[in-house]
C-alpha cells in the first residue's frame, strides 16, 4: 500500500528546471553570491595564515619593536600586543557599566517618551559615526585644560590629549552601541510577568532589576561585550589619532602604572599599518605576522560570541517556557 | 481515487484524506456519533466532585473587600462597580469569558494594575478594613501575594527563589543558614519539599512546569501573606500537576484567603467555595459555588455555565 501511495505523490525535491529563465538566473546568482562569500572568507584566512605563519616566530611575542630598517634588529610586537590588550580592556571596562545603564533606562524606565527617543537616536548616531570622526572629536575634547590629567603636557605647556586613557574613553563609544543593543534585546525578551512576579513579592523596581533582570541578561551583556571587544581590537583610526601609534609604549610621569596609562603607545592594528607596504613599509613580514595574530584574536572573539549566544538562547528558552 | 492493491492489506473504506486533488469533490468526514443520552462527564472523563467539604462558618473570616470598584484602561471601563468580599477559609473563584475583567480585578487587589500606564481605578479596596491606598505598596504586596499563569521562577537556585521573597529588597542577607528553616517551611506548604530537598542549590529553571508553579506558590507563601491571588495557575500545566495544585489550594484556604481566576469551570467547581461570574466588566452573580453552578439565578450565568457541561 505504501508503495502505491508514494508513487502517486510528487517528488519531495522541487526542481527548478521548469522555472522561467529569469528565475533560474536569479537562483544561480544567489548560489554564486553565497559561495563567493565563503571563498573570500576562506581566502583571507588562508592567505593570512600562509603569510603570517611563514614569519610568525615565538620571539615576536616577547621582543619589543625597534625603529630600524634592519629586519634582524627591528624586534617583535610585544608593545603593540600589550597595547591591544590594554586598550581593549580599558575601553570595555568603561563601556559595560555605561551601556548597561543606558539599556536599563531605555527598557525599564524610558519616560518621558521624547527623551527615550532622543537617547535611542543618540546611540544610533554613535554607532554610525566613523571611528576617525570619533577620534578627531576626542582629540579636540581631551586637549582642553580640564582633561590635562588624562594625558600629559607637551613642550610649551599645552595638553597633548593623546594617551591610553583618552583613546580608551573614545574606544568605549565604539563598543557602547553593541552592548546597549544586546542588553536591550535581552531585557525585552524577559516576559513582563516575570517582573510582575517580583513586584508581587513586595519588591521595588530597583530590587527587581538587580536580582532578577540583570542576572537574566548576563549572557546578552556578555555577547555584546565580546562583539565590542572585537571592534575595539580591530580599530585603527582612534589608535593613530589618540594613542600616537608609536612602536613602543612610552610612559609619562613618575607614578608606576599610571605613567603608561597617561602615555602613548600602539596596537597590533597600528603596528600592522605602519610596517606594511601601505605605511612606512619597514617590516612587511612582521606586519603579516601581526595581522595574522589580530585576525586570530577577532575570529576567536567571534567564536566566543556564538557560543555565548547559544548558551544564552537555551537559558532564555528555559526561562520563557 | 481508487488505489489498486489496497484490497489485499486494507479491507475497510479508504481513509478519508490522502492527498488533495483540486479537481475532485472533497471527501466529507462524518463527525463521531455521540449518544445524546450519555452524561456529559462520560465524554470529558473528568469527575465533577469537590476536593473537600466547606469549612465551618467559624473558620471563615473576611480579609479583603472591594467597594464599588471600577477600573479603566484609558476610556475603556474594564471593571464596572464590583463589590466583593474575600475571606480566609474560603476559595473564591472568578469565572467568565476572556476579557471580562477577572484578571484586572485580581491584579487591582495588590495594586499591580498601577504598573499599567493607562490604567485608572475608582472605588475602594480594603485589607482588614484598611484602605489599600494607605498601605505602602511593597508592604501591601508582601501581604497580598500573587501567582501567575506562566510558571516564572527567577534565574537563581531553588533556595534563592524562596529566600528572595524573605529578604528585604535586593539584600543578600540574612544568610542562607538563617533562612533554611523558613524556606523549607514554605516549600513544604507548597508540597514541593520532598521533591527538591536534596538539591536546593539547583537552578529553579531546571524543574518541570508543575514543580516550577509550586515553587512560585512556595515563593508567594514564604513571606506569610494574608491573601493569595492566583491568575489561572494551572492553565499551562498537565492534569497531574493541576490536581496537585488544586489539592494544595484547598488545603491552604484555612490559613490564607485565596482568590483564583480560572477559565476551567470544572476546576472552579472542584475547589471553589464562593464563585463570582463576571461578564463584560460586571459581576453578574456571586454566591456559593454549588448553588451558582447547579442553580444559577441569572440567565447569563446559566448560559455560560451550561456551555461548560456540553
Amino acid at each position: 500500500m505504501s508503495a502505491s501511495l508514494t508513487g502517486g505523490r510528487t517528488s519531495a525535491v522541487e526542481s527548478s528546471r521548469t522555472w522561467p529563465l529569469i528565475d533560474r538566473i536569479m537562483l544561480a546568482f544567489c548560489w554564486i553570491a553565497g559561495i563567493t562569500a565563503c571563498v573570500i572568507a576562506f581566502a583571507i584566512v588562508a592567505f593570512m595564515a600562509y603569510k603570517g605563519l611563514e614569519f610568525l616566530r615565538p620571539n615576536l611575542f616577547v621582543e619589543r619593536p625597534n625603529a630600524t630598517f634592519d629586519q634582524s634588529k627591528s624586534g617583535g610586537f610585544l608593545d603593540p600586543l600589550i597595547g591591544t590588550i590594554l586598550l581593549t580592556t580599558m575601553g570595555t571596562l568603561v563601556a559595560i557599566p555605561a551601556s548597561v545603564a543606558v539599556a536599563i533606562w531605555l527598557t525599564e524606565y524610558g519616560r518621558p517618551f521624547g527623551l527615550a527617543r532622543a537617547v535611542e537616536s543618540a546611540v544610533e548616531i554613535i554607532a554610525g559615526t566613523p571611528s576617525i570622526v570619533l577620534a578627531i572629536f576626542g582629540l579636540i575634547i581631551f586637549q582642553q585644560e580640564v582633561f590635562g590629567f588624562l594625558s600629559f603636557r607637551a613642550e610649551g605647556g599645552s595638553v597633548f590629549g593623546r594617551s591610553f586613557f583618552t583613546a580608551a574613553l573614545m574606544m568605549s563609544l565604539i563598543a557602547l552601541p553593541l552592548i546597549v543593543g544586546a542588553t536591550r534585546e535581552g531585557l525585552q525578551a524577559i516576559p513582563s510577568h516575570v517582573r510582575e512576579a517580583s513586584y508581587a513579592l513586595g519588591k521595588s523596581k530597583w530590587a527587581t532589576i538587580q536580582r532578577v533582570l540583570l542576572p537574566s541578561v548576563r549572557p546578552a551583556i556578555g555577547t555584546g561585550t565580546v562583539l565590542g571587544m572585537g571592534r575595539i581590537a580591530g580599530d585603527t583610526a582612534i589608535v593613530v589619532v589618540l594613542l600616537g601609534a608609536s612602536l613602543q609604549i612610552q610612559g609619562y610621569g613618575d607614578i608606576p602604572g599610571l605613567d603608561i596609562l597617561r602615555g602613548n603607545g600602539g596596537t597590533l592594528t597600528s603596528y600592522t599599518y605602519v610596517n606594511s607596504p601601505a605605511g612606512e613599509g619597514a617590516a612587511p613580514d612582521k606586519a603579516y605576522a601581526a595581522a595574522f595574530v589580530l585576525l586570530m584574536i577577532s575570529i576567536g572573539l567571534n567564536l566566543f560570541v556564538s557560543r555565548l549566544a547559544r548558551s544564552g538562547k537555551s537559558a532564555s528558552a528555559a526561562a520563557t517556557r | 481515487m481508487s488505489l489498486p492493491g489496497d484490497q489485499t492489506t486494507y479491507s475497510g473504506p479508504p481513509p478519508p484524506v490522502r492527498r488533495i486533488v483540486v479537481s475532485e469533490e472533497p471527501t466529507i468526514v462524518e463527525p463521531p456519533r455521540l449518544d445524546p443520552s450519555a452524561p456529559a462527564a462520560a465524554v470529558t472523563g473528568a469527575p465533577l466532585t469537590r476536593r473537600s467539604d466547606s469549612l465551618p462558618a467559624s473558620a471563615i473570616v473576611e480579609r479583603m473587600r472591594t467597594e464599588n470598584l471600577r477600573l479603566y484602561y484609558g476610556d475603556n471601563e474594564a471593571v464596572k462597580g464590583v463589590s466583593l468580599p474575600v475571606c480566609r477559609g474560603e476559595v473564591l473563584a472568578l469565572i467568565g469569558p476572556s476579557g471580562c475583567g477577572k484578571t484586572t480585578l485580581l491584579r487591582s487587589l495588590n495594586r499591580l494594575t498601577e504598573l499599567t500606564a493607562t490604567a485608572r481605578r475608582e472605588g475602594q479596596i480594603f485589607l482588614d478594613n484598611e484602605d489599600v491606598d494607605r498601605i505602602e505598596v511593597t508592604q501591601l504586596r508582601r501581604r497580598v501575594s500573587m501567582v501567575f499563569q506562566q510558571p516564572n521562577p527567577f534565574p537563581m537556585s531553588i533556595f534563592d527563589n524562596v529566600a528572595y521573597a524573605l529578604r528585604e529588597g535586593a539584600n543578600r542577607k540574612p544568610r542562607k543558614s538563617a533562612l533554611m528553616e523558613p524556606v523549607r517551611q514554605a516549600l513544604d506548604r507548597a508540597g514541593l519539599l520532598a521533591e527538591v530537598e536534596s538539591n536546593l542549590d539547583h537552578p529553579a529553571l531546571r524543574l518541570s512546569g508543575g514543580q516550577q508553579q509550586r515553587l512560585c506558590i512556595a515563593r508567594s507563601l514564604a513571606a506569610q501573606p494574608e491573601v493569595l491571588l492566583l491568575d489561572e495557575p494551572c492553565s499551562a500545566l498537565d492534569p497531574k500537576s493541576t490536581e496537585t495544585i488544586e489539592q494544595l489550594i484547598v488545603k491552604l484556604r484555612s490559613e490564607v484567603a485565596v482568590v483564583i481566576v480560572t477559565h476551567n469551570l470544572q476546576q472552579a467547581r472542584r475547589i471553589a467555595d464562593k464563585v463570582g461570574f463576571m461578564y463584560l466588566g460586571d459581576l453578574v452573580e456571586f454566591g456559593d459555588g454549588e448553588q451558582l453552578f447547579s442553580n444559577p439565578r441569572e440567565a447569563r450565568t446559566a448560559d455560560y455555565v451550561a456551555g461548560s457541561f456540553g
Side-chain angles (χ1 to χ4, degrees):
Chain A
M1 170 184 167
S2 63
S4 66
L5 270 179
T6 46
R9 287 197 189 126
T10 50
S11 161
V13 182
E14 193 185 356
S15 166
S16 60
R17 237 171 288 160
T18 55
W19 291 13
L21 181 66
I22 181 74
D23 291 9
R24 277 188 281 162
I25 291 172
M26 296 301 239
L27 181 67
F29 178 74
C30 293
W31 273 89
I32 291 164
I35 290 166
T36 310
C38 285
V39 169
I40 292 173
F42 180 76
I44 292 172
V45 176
F47 178 75
M48 292 319 296
Y50 170 71
K51 278 288 197 182
L53 287 174
E54 185 183 351
F55 303 113
L56 198 62
R57 299 283 177 277
N59 65 324
L60 288 183
F61 289 96
V62 291
E63 283 174 18
R64 304 192 68 180
N66 288 305
T68 167
F69 284 107
D70 183 351
Q71 284 297 315
S72 60
K73 289 181 187 158
S74 65
F77 45 68
L78 176 66
D79 285 39
L81 189 62
I82 292 174
T84 294
I85 294 168
L86 194 58
L87 196 58
T88 310
T89 312
M90 289 170 73
T92 313
L93 285 181
V94 177
I96 292 175
S99 313
V100 172
V102 169
I104 284 180
W105 185 81
L106 274 174
T107 347
E108 304 302 317
Y109 294 88
R111 294 276 182 285
F113 186 70
L115 184 61
R117 279 296 307 149
V119 171
E120 269 181 359
S121 311
V123 172
E124 277 163 26
I125 289 168
I126 293 172
T129 307
S131 66
I132 183 71
V133 179
L134 283 179
I136 300 289
F137 174 75
L139 191 61
I140 295 165
I141 296 291
F142 293 124
Q143 280 180 335
Q144 303 301 310
E145 280 294 313
V146 266
F147 293 116
F149 66 97
L150 289 176
S151 57
F152 52 90
R153 284 171 196 280
E155 279 169 47
S158 63
V159 174
F160 195 53
R162 301 175 180 86
S163 73
F164 272 101
F165 274 132
T166 60
L169 284 173
M170 276 299 141
M171 282 295 195
S172 71
L173 290 182
I174 300 244
L176 179 122
L178 292 162
I179 308 180
V180 170
T183 310
R184 274 188 82 186
E185 268 176 39
L187 286 170
Q188 282 162 351
I190 301 174
S192 61
H193 63 82
V194 173
R195 296 174 176 81
E196 288 175 352
S198 177
Y199 302 146
L201 296 173
K203 299 294 178 175
S204 64
K205 192 161 189 164
W206 187 238
T208 305
I209 290 171
Q210 257 182 291
R211 295 298 309 279
V212 177
L213 301 185
L214 280 181
S216 304
V217 294
R218 213 174 280 147
I221 296 175
T223 306
T225 302
V226 182
L227 281 174
M229 289 171 83
R231 288 284 299 277
I232 295 178
D235 192 80
T236 320
I238 290 175
V239 179
V240 171
V241 176
L242 278 174
L243 196 57
S246 56
L247 270 181
Q248 294 196 350
I249 293 174
Q250 296 153 350
Y252 286 88
D254 319 316
I255 310 160
L258 193 68
D259 61 338
I260 291 175
L261 303 185
R262 289 177 69 191
N264 289 160
T267 63
L268 287 173
T269 55
S270 67
Y271 180 85
T272 305
Y273 168 69
V274 169
N275 285 311
S276 75
E280 288 157 22
D285 302 353
K286 284 169 186 171
Y288 283 125
F292 178 68
V293 172
L294 193 59
L295 188 65
M296 286 300 108
I297 290 176
S298 34
I299 290 179
L301 287 174
N302 273 308
L303 287 178
F304 192 56
V305 169
S306 30
R307 285 198 62 172
L308 263 183
R310 231 178 299 144
S311 68
K313 220 170 273 171
S314 59
S316 64
T320 52
R321 186 167 44 150
Chain B
M1 229 184 92
S2 74
L3 292 160
D6 262 6
Q7 269 44 354
T8 55
T9 53
Y10 183 80
S11 56
V17 181
R18 288 251 173 77
R19 56 177 170 155
I20 297 167
V21 180
V22 179
S23 59
E24 282 187 28
E25 283 292 306
T27 316
I28 312 286
V29 184
E30 287 280 315
R33 216 161 305 203
L34 293 178
D35 182 0
S37 62
V43 177
T44 57
L48 292 174
T49 51
R50 284 185 51 74
R51 293 258 181 241
S52 82
D53 293 329
S54 306
L55 296 178
S58 59
I60 295 165
V61 185
E62 183 185 288
R63 300 309 298 266
M64 285 192 97
R65 189 171 79 246
T66 70
E67 279 181 9
N68 201 21
L69 180 68
R70 289 173 189 279
L71 289 145
Y72 303 85
Y73 291 114
D75 294 332
N76 176 26
E77 193 173 7
V79 174
K80 301 170 180 169
V82 170
S83 301
L84 202 67
V86 176
C87 302
R88 187 185 69 205
E90 286 178 343
V91 174
L92 167 62
L94 295 174
I95 60 169
S98 298
C100 68
K102 312 180 292 288
T103 299
T104 305
L105 172 60
L106 191 77
R107 288 163 55 90
S108 71
L109 294 179
N110 66 354
R111 290 169 60 188
L112 270 183
T113 38
E114 289 172 13
L115 300 172
T116 313
T118 56
R120 192 160 51 83
R121 199 187 91 206
E122 284 172 13
Q124 284 173 305
I125 303 172
F126 295 96
L127 173 62
D128 289 341
N129 292 317
E130 192 181 3
D131 193 324
V132 293
D133 288 338
R134 289 162 166 263
I135 307 174
E136 200 272 319
V137 71
T138 59
Q139 288 304 316
L140 171 71
R141 289 176 188 157
R142 284 179 87 101
R143 294 171 65 186
V144 183
S145 203
M146 183 154 171
V147 174
F148 295 77
Q149 186 171 4
Q150 294 292 327
N152 47 16
F154 302 131
M156 39 178 110
S157 72
I158 295 169
F159 180 91
D160 282 336
N161 260 277
V162 183
Y164 176 65
L166 289 163
R167 292 170 176 141
E168 283 286 327
N171 293 354
R172 288 172 195 278
K173 292 194 173 167
R175 296 155 67 93
K176 190 171 175 177
S177 51
L179 288 178
M180 190 50 95
E181 205 37 51
V183 166
R184 287 174 62 94
Q185 264 174 23
L187 288 168
D188 192 33
R189 284 175 84 188
L192 189 61
L193 185 62
E195 290 159 61
V196 299
E197 200 166 17
S198 55
N199 36 23
L200 289 176
D201 291 329
H202 283 209
L205 290 167
R206 292 224 194 113
L207 295 172
S208 76
Q211 288 175 323
Q212 288 191 2
Q213 194 63 306
R214 276 182 285 150
L215 177 63
C216 292
I217 294 176
R219 195 171 67 185
S220 299
L221 292 173
Q224 308 284 349
E226 292 145 48
V227 182
L228 182 63
L229 311 175
L230 302 139
D231 186 3
E232 295 182 48
C234 302
S235 64
L237 303 182
D238 62 277
K240 185 83 190 96
S241 307
T242 302
E243 191 187 333
T244 314
I245 287 178
E246 284 180 5
Q247 281 165 351
L248 177 62
I249 292 169
V250 169
K251 205 174 82 196
L252 285 171
R253 71 185 165 160
S254 57
E255 310 154 35
V256 195
V258 180
V259 188
I260 179 169
V261 161
T262 179
H263 275 128
N264 184 338
L265 296 183
Q266 288 163 3
Q267 179 174 64
R269 200 171 192 189
R270 282 193 297 266
I271 63 174
D273 301 283
K274 287 275 194 297
V275 177
F277 169 60
M278 292 187 71
Y279 187 67
L280 298 177
D282 287 315
L283 181 65
V284 174
E285 185 164 348
F286 172 75
D288 281 339
E290 210 41 53
Q291 169 264 317
L292 189 137
F293 280 110
S294 57
N295 190 17
R297 285 188 295 266
E298 294 273 336
R300 280 178 294 179
T301 315
D303 287 347
Y304 183 72
V305 169
S308 73
F309 302 135

